Amino acid sequence: MSEERNQRHKKAMERRKALVDEKVAQATEERGILIVLTGNGKGKSSSGFGSVVRCLGHGYKAGIVQFIKGTWDCGERNFIEQRCPEVPYHVMGSGFTWETQDRDRDIAAAEQAWEKAEELLQDDSLHLVLLDELTYVLKYGWISQERIFSALQNRPAEMSVIVTGRAASAALRDMADTVAEVGDEKHAFRAGIKARRGIDW
Ligand code: ATP
Ligand code: MG
């Protein structure tokens, strides 16, 4: 009985392995990719920063531009600025738009941050560029889609880019090689639990 079950399992695993092997064999192209991490759930930026660490761990270089985030205390930024000073890290200084309510200031800050991003997107020593919360720049129209897409499309072939932020546009999703929509099944905040240092920021 259990022998028969083992045999069935073995057969099923053999079939699965053949399928996986076939897919692996088909993936022959080697180039950097555009990844979009969007959706309303938690885990987009932390995944982006996790990929930066993964990249640095292999001895590659990475660069980061954080849009939207103000200059307040932020664990990933503290860590990278203190421990990895060689990593270019630019933070758009204006803070959340609903706090500042000053569109001209938002546009000026976005322009500065985007110039930094354009610089990184031309640097062929970088294996990965993280553009954290870039979707809002597009959504609010602070920088034209044309300008953003052109820099993304003309980046070095080996460079990967991660864009995070809610509500990624259809055009951005179309351009991306990998799109992950993080679902918001539950969030502790809605149960009245305060955002936690080292967990949420
Ligand atoms: P993280 O930075 O933790 O990976 P994220 O990038 O997916 O989160 P954002 O939309 O950028 O999420 O929001 C940033 C902050 O808001 C984080 O502190 C996060 O915990 C919190 N947050 C994320 N999703 C939710 C949610 N659905 N409800 C309330 N707060 C949330
Ligand atoms: Mg985020």
Side-chain angles (χ1 to χ4, degrees):
M1 177 69 179
S2 97
E3 182 50 30
E4 194 193 320
R5 199 172 161 194
N6 287 345
Q7 281 304 323
R8 270 206 317 268
H9 179 78
K10 189 168 184 299
K11 282 239 152 57
M13 288 303 115
E14 276 169 5
R15 279 196 300 273
R16 182 169 302 173
K17 181 171 159 37
L19 284 173
V20 173
D21 285 351
E22 196 185 318
K23 285 197 178 122
V24 170
Q26 279 165 2
T28 52
E29 197 181 343
E30 283 200 51
R31 62 171 175 84
I33 58 172
L34 174 61
I35 302 172
V36 171
L37 305 177
T38 190
N40 292 335
K42 172 174 166 57
K44 302 174 291 294
S45 298
S46 32
S47 166
F49 280 93
S51 299
V52 167
V53 170
R54 180 177 278 177
C55 184
L56 298 177
H58 285 291
Y60 292 122
K61 292 183 176 172
I64 301 160
V65 180
Q66 242 180 332
F67 297 89
I68 310 294
K69 291 276 146 57
T71 43
W72 72 67
D73 198 19
C74 164
E76 54 270 36
R77 176 156 156 248
N78 292 345
F79 183 85
I80 290 170
E81 285 185 350
Q82 288 161 21
R83 314 286 182 90
C84 316
E86 75 286 0
V87 173
Y89 199 141
H90 183 88
V91 182
M92 178 171 145
S94 71
F96 283 104
T97 189
W98 53 87
E99 272 178 7
T100 61
Q101 297 143 16
D102 182 341
R103 185 170 149 84
D104 287 342
R105 224 182 81 181
D106 287 344
I107 291 173
E111 172 68 34
Q112 255 198 345
W114 184 249
E115 280 172 20
K116 186 68 198 175
E118 281 176 332
E119 203 182 287
L120 298 183
L121 291 170
Q122 286 169 23
D123 181 345
D124 62 10
S125 74
L126 298 176
H127 194 69
L128 173 65
V129 173
L130 170 61
L131 302 174
D132 190 35
E133 319 296 351
L134 178 68
T135 57
Y136 303 100
V137 174
L138 280 160
K139 190 171 164 215
Y140 294 125
W142 292 332
I143 307 287
S144 75
Q145 173 176 297
E146 194 189 6
R147 187 168 160 203
I148 291 177
F149 282 20
S150 150
L152 289 173
Q153 267 154 352
N154 295 315
R155 72 186 194 275
E158 292 296 314
M159 177 190 285
S160 292
V161 175
I162 299 180
V163 171
T164 81
R166 298 178 187 206
S169 67
L172 184 62
R173 290 168 194 252
D174 269 359
M175 193 203 292
D177 301 289
T178 296
V179 180
E181 173 94 21
V182 182
D184 181 20
E185 196 168 315
K186 250 183 164 187
H187 197 289
F189 178 71
R190 285 200 298 283
I193 301 170
K194 261 178 104 163
R196 289 184 68 77
R197 193 171 190 224
I199 303 296
D200 292 297
W201 48 281

